[in-house]
Amino acid sequence: MTDQVVKQCRDELHTHLTTELLPFWITRTADHENGGFVTHFDEYGNDSGEDEKSLIAQTRSIYTYSSAHRAGYGDGKLADLARHGVDYLLTRMWDAEFGGFYWMTNRKGDVLNDQKIVYGQSFAIYCLSEYTLATGDPRGVEYAEKVFDLLQKYASDTAYGGYFEVFKHDWTLTGPGAAGGNRKTLDAHMHLMEAFTSLYECTRQAIHRRKLLEVISLLVAKVMHPAYGTGIPQFWADWRVAPQIKFDVIWGWDRFTEDGVKRKADDNTSYGHNAEFAWLLLHALAVLEIPHETYINQLQKSFSHTANYGVDWEYGGVFVEGSHSGDVYDREKEFWQQAEVLIGFLDAYRIFGDAKYWKAYENVHRFVMDKMVNHEVGEWWPLMTRQGIPIWTHMSHSWKINYHTVRSMVQSIRRLDALLTPSSPAD
């Protein structure tokens, strides 16, 4: 690795972000008729027409535009987009009677699914805190705190710790099984960590710090594998490992499932989640002003497992998932795993100084730029074969949105800049 190589990587990402990725979203996403964002685009970038606005897509979009504006991109256009999204979120998706945000509306803003799902509420906290940090608009943190308080009141499990995740509109817990009422997940708790990190960064309130520390401790002690340090996807309420199943309201696992249960349901871990968890933990520790050495063993295990087993050294990129002990189960290439490991490998190289992480970063960087980006349109292909041929071709829907791709570019550029100028902060 030389400064020239680092600068070439940095400039390539910056060009993609500023001339392809951000323009893709700035030019087509705002719904000027109904408010909020249009989030469904086909492989050519055309509106594919689905009549829905999901909480996950609206909040992730608000986060994307807020964070990119905060990082200095967009010449004010991104702040305007974020404000446009917040206006819709607060007027059409907030439940004025019971509190919290509905899971789904149609394009006009009529409620299609009134459930309160912690996964979505976590992104509401995340995006609204980031929005206030980016723009100074107090509405963001006001509603972020309201959601935080609702989670402590209705979702917090005082017996076993952590949070229940799927509720009816009035915050009564849903039933078991695919309804999700008796499960806890890595996914939701990891995103609560990132949400509480941004909330605490915004408020500096002791209660937000304490709950962030609690969820970090729980993730490390309960959610990550005790031997391998890798993420376990699903649990029963008492934190016994549960076979991974598909929830009714969470996106489809068409290529994974047999009768709604994932193959290798008791022994699978996501390379993308492990890298994402590790870099989000590093960021949380930086905001908390806690030395990363406090969790150095966990960080080492999470990063090294991804580098040792997840990287495809033959065709490039990172695989979807495998066993905790190392066997690869799914060798396809999905967009969000690539996005998260770019940030993760740069952080791993920064704190460990091991050349394998830089080599892993370069490998995934090259796969993304050469294969994963649909350069003619500006966004990334959602799912590819191991060799890099598109399987799914849409550019966006409720679950494949701008959050992973834009965040990856913003955060990776920041880390590459820090490598070029060691005195500059990576977080």
Side-chain angles (χ1 to χ4, degrees):
M1 188 200 76
T2 65
D3 283 355
Q4 182 181 1
V5 171
V6 175
K7 188 175 187 306
Q8 286 173 348
C9 290
R10 185 263 183 210
D11 290 348
E12 191 172 16
L13 297 189
H14 189 269
T15 297
H16 170 53
L17 175 64
T18 57
T19 68
E20 295 176 335
L21 196 53
L22 287 176
F24 176 93
W25 294 102
I26 289 171
T27 57
R28 56 173 47 81
T29 190
D31 183 343
H32 296 294
E33 180 180 356
N34 301 303
F37 303 117
V38 175
T39 57
H40 292 70
F41 301 104
D42 66 17
E43 65 182 294
Y44 305 107
N46 299 317
D47 181 359
S48 52
E50 284 85 346
D51 187 19
E52 66 176 47
K53 287 177 177 167
S54 70
L55 178 60
I56 201 69
Q58 300 299 309
T59 54
R60 285 179 164 184
S61 295
I62 293 166
Y63 171 82
T64 296
Y65 306 137
S66 298
S67 62
H69 170 74
R70 189 180 173 201
Y73 298 98
D75 296 322
K77 295 178 182 177
L78 295 169
D80 292 339
L81 269 178
R83 188 174 299 108
H84 177 81
V86 168
D87 290 343
Y88 182 85
L89 188 68
L90 301 188
T91 58
R92 306 310 296 266
M93 301 193 83
W94 178 257
D95 182 345
E97 181 178 4
F98 293 103
F101 292 99
Y102 300 121
W103 182 249
M104 185 83 69
T105 68
N106 63 17
R107 290 201 179 192
K108 292 182 178 180
D110 304 316
V111 178
L112 300 179
N113 184 327
D114 63 5
Q115 286 183 278
K116 307 294 167 56
I117 299 173
V118 167
Y119 190 96
Q121 307 300 322
S122 73
F123 275 98
I125 296 171
Y126 191 39
C127 82
L128 291 168
S129 301
E130 186 70 22
Y131 172 70
T132 293
L133 286 165
T135 68
D137 186 339
R139 293 181 301 162
V141 71
E142 175 190 351
Y143 277 83
E145 289 188 87
K146 287 181 179 180
V147 176
F148 173 88
D149 291 344
L150 286 164
L151 294 185
Q152 308 317 312
K153 181 177 181 179
Y154 293 116
S156 180
D157 182 354
T158 57
Y160 296 106
Y163 296 83
F164 294 108
E165 300 185 17
V166 188
F167 298 85
K168 299 175 184 177
H169 72 284
D170 60 357
W171 291 97
T172 56
L173 202 59
T174 57
N182 65 339
R183 299 284 180 123
K184 294 173 181 172
T185 66
L186 162 89
D187 225 356
H189 286 79
M190 181 180 71
H191 291 304
L192 285 171
M193 176 177 69
E194 70 180 345
F196 292 175
T197 299
S198 290
L199 181 61
Y200 175 63
E201 184 180 4
C202 192
T203 69
R204 297 293 172 177
Q205 288 188 22
I207 183 61
H208 301 149
R209 179 185 180 90
R210 190 167 79 243
K211 291 298 179 180
L212 173 56
L213 289 169
E214 281 183 13
V215 78
I216 289 172
S217 296
L218 185 147
L219 282 161
V220 173
K222 300 289 188 182
V223 176
M224 309 309 286
H225 194 286
Y228 299 106
T230 45
I232 301 169
Q234 288 185 17
F235 300 84
W236 302 112
D238 62 2
W239 294 107
R240 288 177 296 124
V241 176
Q244 192 177 4
I245 63 170
K246 176 184 174 183
F247 295 148
D248 290 336
V249 293
I250 302 299
W251 70 327
W253 285 348
D254 294 341
R255 71 192 197 282
F256 292 146
T257 56
E258 295 172 355
D259 300 325
V261 179
K262 181 171 285 197
R263 296 188 297 274
K264 306 289 186 180
D266 293 311
D267 180 23
N268 66 87
T269 191
S270 163
Y271 304 113
H273 269 156
N274 293 333
E276 184 180 15
F277 164 75
W279 85 254
L280 287 172
L281 173 59
L282 277 169
H283 177 60
L285 295 173
V287 170
L288 289 163
E289 299 181 340
I290 294 173
H292 69 260
E293 289 82 3
T294 308
Y295 290 98
I296 199 68
N297 290 334
Q298 176 61 63
L299 293 165
Q300 191 275 333
K301 288 178 178 179
S302 294
F303 282 134
S304 65
H305 188 276
T306 303
N308 292 342
Y309 303 112
V311 176
D312 185 346
W313 295 104
E314 183 176 358
Y315 293 103
V318 68
F319 300 124
V320 171
E321 67 181 21
S323 72
H324 297 286
S325 60
D327 293 338
V328 180
Y329 295 156
D330 188 335
R331 296 178 185 272
E332 292 172 345
K333 310 290 170 61
E334 197 168 9
F335 79 101
W336 71 264
Q337 287 97 339
Q338 317 306 314
E340 296 305 326
V341 301
L342 287 176
I343 309 170
F345 286 149
L346 288 173
D347 267 351
Y349 180 71
R350 173 173 63 90
I351 67 171
F352 292 110
D354 189 332
K356 76 175 180 182
Y357 292 119
W358 176 257
K359 292 176 182 177
Y361 169 80
E362 279 194 295
N363 173 294
V364 180
H365 175 110
R366 196 72 271 132
F367 181 85
V368 167
M369 291 294 107
D370 294 346
K371 300 286 189 178
M372 201 112 220
V373 176
N374 181 357
H375 289 286
E376 292 184 9
V377 176
E379 247 291 341
W380 299 19
W381 299 107
L383 182 70
M384 312 189 86
T385 65
R386 181 184 181 186
Q387 293 79 11
I389 299 170
I391 299 172
W392 295 345
T393 58
H394 55 272
M395 289 294 97
S396 176
H397 61 35
S398 280
W399 287 93
K400 197 275 178 182
I401 193 68
N402 44 41
Y403 153 77
H404 286 289
T405 54
V406 174
R407 184 174 72 169
S408 178
M409 296 299 95
V410 170
Q411 294 296 330
S412 295
I413 290 166
R414 179 173 293 162
R415 284 153 177 77
L416 291 165
D417 282 340
L419 288 176
L420 291 167
T421 311
S423 60
S424 64
D427 290 307

